[in-house]
Amino acid sequence: MILTNTVTVADIAIGGANPFALITGPCQLESLDHARMMAERIAEACAPTGTRFIFKASYDKANRSSISTQRGLGMDEGLSILSKIRDEFGCPILTDVHDAGQCAPAGEVVDVIQIPAFLCRQTDLLLAAGETGCAINVKKGQFLAPWDMGNVAEKIASTGNTRIMLCDRGTSFGYNTLVSDFRGLPTMARTGYPVVFDATHSVQQPGGQGTTSGGQREFAPVLARAAVAVGVSALFIETHEAPDRAPSDGPNMIPVHKMAQVIGQLRALDDLTKSQEAIDLAT
């Protein structure tokens, strides 16, 4: 088990010995009706284990592989939908931002602002996100070592906002391939901030289908179990009712009808992991 400080999002305590929180939802917002359907099915999947979830969806996918692929609904419509989901389901909301000007409007609606991996060293973006006072989930760039995330966190914390979570989503390993190094999770936890593991983007194959990214969704639950065995504070798992027809990241998303089974297995392992005393080999 890896112990960190605790970040509270709405009434969900993330970090320390708390059960893992689940950040989940479709990669890209499609419509209000679709978001409602997904939130309802996620709530049903989480209910048997009492797992707390943060609903995640993006209003804009600004880093698509090709100019021809769908980006999303845009900030105004997207934030309006996310606000309705938060009010109707009583769940916290997460979305990502792509430039400093998006942070303040997003911060008025969402509970967690997410910094995409490709943008994790953009100082102005990190400062603007921190100044909102929202919890910040910053993804480790595929090009960064885990210990480099201390510098990233320091930029956000310089605003006075220490509600920071550090998220691993794999490391570049040759062309169109990512690899997960689980040593990075306790390494990032040494900062004191809760660590999130992104199981679905870690099995992505960036640009692997030419104009879109590929993925190996069958390995997402495998990597999630490994991260839970390490003792992470939260898991990030994107889901969709028909991943192969999703407008973004379908190949690595988990079908929503499988989520209850996946969550059940993960919670059983999480309970076991966090009941064990950490082994300190440094003394």
Side-chain angles (χ1 to χ4, degrees):
M1 180 176 65
I2 51 178
L3 289 177
T4 66
N5 298 330
T6 299
V7 169
T8 301
V9 176
D11 62 345
I12 303 175
I14 302 172
N18 291 295
F20 72 79
L22 181 63
I23 300 170
T24 187
C27 180
Q28 188 178 132
L29 277 171
E30 299 177 34
S31 68
L32 176 57
D33 286 344
H34 183 261
R36 279 175 172 150
M37 180 274 293
M38 289 300 304
E40 182 175 0
R41 296 191 66 177
I42 289 166
E44 291 171 353
C46 290
T49 56
T51 298
R52 307 299 306 279
F53 74 94
I54 299 169
F55 185 83
K56 178 271 166 190
S58 300
Y59 55 76
D60 181 22
K61 302 301 295 182
N63 61 348
R64 298 306 306 272
S65 298
S66 167
I67 191 66
S68 64
T69 46
Q70 298 180 49
R71 285 185 55 169
L73 300 177
M75 186 168 66
D76 291 344
E77 184 178 359
L79 290 178
S80 175
I81 289 172
L82 291 171
S83 177
K84 290 180 173 66
I85 296 301
R86 182 186 184 191
D87 291 344
E88 292 176 18
F89 290 88
C91 58
I93 297 294
L94 175 150
T95 199
D96 35 15
V97 295
H98 301 91
D99 64 59
Q102 294 180 0
C103 292
E108 293 178 0
V109 174
V110 304
D111 301 276
V112 185
I113 288 177
Q114 181 165 279
I115 306 297
F118 288 128
L119 302 178
C120 70
R121 289 183 59 174
Q122 298 298 107
T123 302
D124 289 345
L125 178 60
L126 295 171
L127 296 179
E131 287 167 356
T132 66
C134 291
I136 310 297
N137 184 42
V138 55
K139 291 197 173 184
K140 182 184 78 65
Q142 301 91 324
F143 46 87
L144 284 185
W147 46 86
D148 293 331
M149 289 299 285
N151 294 326
V152 173
E154 283 183 10
K155 292 181 181 182
I156 301 171
S158 73
T159 68
N161 184 351
T162 57
R163 302 176 66 215
I164 301 166
M165 297 179 286
L166 304 179
C167 181
D168 193 293
R169 56 141 302 160
T171 301
S172 294
F173 187 74
Y175 299 123
N176 305 124
T177 304
L178 300 171
V179 66
S180 293
D181 179 358
F182 291 98
R183 296 174 300 179
L185 303 178
T187 298
M188 289 198 298
R190 290 173 189 158
T191 62
Y193 297 114
V195 173
V196 183
F197 182 72
D198 181 346
T200 43
H201 284 101
S202 291
V203 299
Q204 186 187 63
Q205 296 169 317
Q209 296 182 346
T211 58
T212 60
S213 292
Q216 296 176 299
R217 73 170 66 98
E218 66 272 23
F219 294 120
V222 176
L223 296 186
R225 289 196 294 271
V228 168
V230 173
V232 290
S233 300
L235 287 170
F236 181 110
I237 299 177
E238 288 185 335
T239 185
H240 195 276
E241 84 283 2
D244 292 333
R245 297 199 300 271
S248 177
D249 275 347
N252 43 270
M253 282 198 283
I254 291 179
V256 72
H257 72 273
K258 296 286 189 180
M259 284 293 285
Q261 182 180 10
V262 170
I263 293 167
Q265 291 181 356
L266 294 173
R267 277 300 302 271
L269 185 55
D270 187 63
D271 291 344
L272 176 62
T273 299
K274 289 176 179 169
S275 69
Q276 306 298 308
E277 183 177 355
I279 300 173
D280 184 3
L281 297 182
T283 58

